[in-house]
Amino acid sequence: MKRVAIQGQAGSFHDIAVQHYFGQEQVQLIYCATFEMVFENIKRDPTVIGMVAIENTIAGSLLHNYELLRDSGVTVVGEHKLHIQHAICCLPDDSWDTLREVHSHPVALMQCRQFLANRPELRAVEAEDTAGAAEYIAQHQCRGTAAICHAEAARMNGLKVLEDAIEDNKHNFTRFLVVCDPRKADFMRPLDKTDKASLVFSLPHEEGSLSKVLTILSFYNINLTKIQSLPIIGQEWEYLFYVDVTYNNLIRYRQSIDAIIPLTRELKILGEYNNGKQTR
């Protein structure tokens, strides 16, 4: 049985992503209040796997998670892209006429901004977690209060779904990374079957330094799918570049890495894995 640490609780989008990614495999979830605790669980027990959100098609990148990923020393061994669908739910005895507040994570509230604008009678209240908001309403029997969460979280807590798919943008996906102790990486995925990699590096503060790296990747037919820059604390105007690439030839990919190493500083391969599927 695999033990998987996630930020959030039962019914959260991390929980749903784990269910989709591991399918019929037996999984024991370790619920964590913060992303830091996810990585701490892996550090304490190398057999633990982590599932962490890294970017959303609407809200953008989770920048702090890039830092945690780099500093923790874990390896990325997989990814999953989950369609994010929000529902509004409440206690069975409540209705639109009795609701006065709606609780959810600030990102979920933002993603349902237009829906909430059409319900001006509902006061939006930020919560730490979407599923946690539903659980709180159920446990404390909060009359007149709704939660925005996944419909599964509503059902798990015995709440009534008033309306599903209330998100403003129906093309709302979150990308999750599967991470583990480097010593366990080969058990999680066959390296010769990989077609995607995540890298991080810094560059000399010279004209055209990034362009040179990208030109070499292009020469080796390596497809750049994402680039994210973050400032290096204490080094003004210098940056770390987090890059995702895809490839169809492992040898050519390895050659490209060898070719860009002399042009970069502190290049680190965060993980090599399979390009994840999108699920709804």
Side-chain angles (χ1 to χ4, degrees), residues 220-273:
Y220 283 95
N221 295 322
I222 307 301
N223 182 37
L224 182 75
T225 61
K226 165 122 188 187
I227 183 167
Q228 177 73 56
S229 64
L230 289 178
I232 301 175
I233 305 301
Q235 299 182 41
E236 294 82 1
W237 318 123
E238 293 191 28
Y239 299 86
L240 285 170
F241 293 91
Y242 291 83
V243 172
D244 290 336
V245 298
T246 58
Y247 49 88
N248 54 27
N249 185 306
L250 184 61
I251 294 176
R252 294 282 285 176
Y253 155 71
R254 288 293 174 83
Q255 290 172 335
S256 74
I257 296 299
D258 290 340
I260 66 173
I261 284 176
L263 302 177
T264 64
R265 295 173 177 168
E266 301 178 8
L267 184 144
K268 182 178 181 181
I269 299 174
L270 298 173
E272 295 158 339
Y273 49 98

Side-chain angles (χ1 to χ4, degrees), residues 23-269:
Q24 299 302 313
E25 294 186 63
Q26 287 191 322
V27 171
Q28 177 188 359
L29 286 173
I30 303 170
Y31 301 113
C32 303
T34 65
F35 286 111
E36 284 85 352
M37 291 176 62
V38 172
F39 291 98
E40 186 60 33
N41 269 278
I42 300 172
K43 183 179 179 180
R44 286 200 305 261
D45 183 353
T47 65
V48 171
I49 303 162
M51 172 79 86
V52 294
I54 198 67
E55 64 175 313
N56 176 267
T57 53
I58 297 172
S61 298
L62 282 74
L63 300 182
H64 184 51
N65 284 0
Y66 278 100
E67 296 176 342
L68 292 174
L69 182 63
R70 178 176 179 269
D71 294 341
S72 66
V74 301
T75 296
V76 182
V77 292
E79 70 172 3
H80 186 73
K81 299 158 188 169
L82 179 69
H83 182 224
I84 302 300
Q85 195 166 21
H86 294 299
I88 185 166
C89 58
C90 60
L91 293 171
D93 292 337
D94 266 325
S95 66
W96 287 117
D97 293 333
T98 60
L99 293 180
R100 294 296 176 264
E101 289 185 352
V102 56
H103 294 208
S104 194
H105 189 277
V107 172
L109 294 172
M110 180 200 71
Q111 293 174 351
C112 302
R113 183 181 297 147
Q114 187 58 52
F115 175 86
L116 294 174
N118 293 329
R119 295 279 179 179
E121 72 278 8
L122 295 179
R123 184 171 74 93
V125 178
E126 294 185 358
E128 292 185 357
D129 186 67
T130 54
E135 181 183 65
Y136 184 88
I137 291 171
Q139 287 185 350
H140 294 83
Q141 291 293 292
C142 301
R143 293 295 304 273
T145 305
I148 290 177
C149 60
H150 193 279
E152 180 63 21
R155 287 188 284 269
M156 290 173 64
N157 288 285
L159 299 182
K160 175 175 64 178
V161 174
L162 288 172
E163 190 173 341
D164 202 356
I166 66 170
E167 64 278 3
D168 298 338
N169 191 316
K170 306 308 177 184
H171 300 281
N172 184 7
F173 286 83
T174 293
R175 178 176 168 237
F176 297 84
L177 297 180
V178 182
V179 299
C180 71
D181 185 283
R183 293 167 291 182
K184 303 295 180 183
D186 290 341
F187 297 99
M188 292 292 298
R189 51 91 177 99
L191 189 57
D192 60 343
K193 302 296 184 183
T194 62
D195 59 6
K196 188 170 186 177
S198 294
L199 320 170
V200 60
F201 53 82
S202 60
L203 292 168
H205 201 49
E206 300 171 357
E207 184 177 343
S209 57
L210 179 59
S211 176
K212 293 174 184 176
V213 170
L214 299 182
T215 298
I216 289 176
L217 293 176
S218 176
F219 173 79
Y220 283 95
N221 295 322
I222 307 301
N223 182 37
L224 182 75
T225 61
K226 165 122 188 187
I227 183 167
Q228 177 73 56
S229 64
L230 289 178
I232 301 175
I233 305 301
Q235 299 182 41
E236 294 82 1
W237 318 123
E238 293 191 28
Y239 299 86
L240 285 170
F241 293 91
Y242 291 83
V243 172
D244 290 336
V245 298
T246 58
Y247 49 88
N248 54 27
N249 185 306
L250 184 61
I251 294 176
R252 294 282 285 176
Y253 155 71
R254 288 293 174 83
Q255 290 172 335
S256 74
I257 296 299
D258 290 340
I260 66 173
I261 284 176
L263 302 177
T264 64
R265 295 173 177 168
E266 301 178 8
L267 184 144
K268 182 178 181 181
I269 299 174

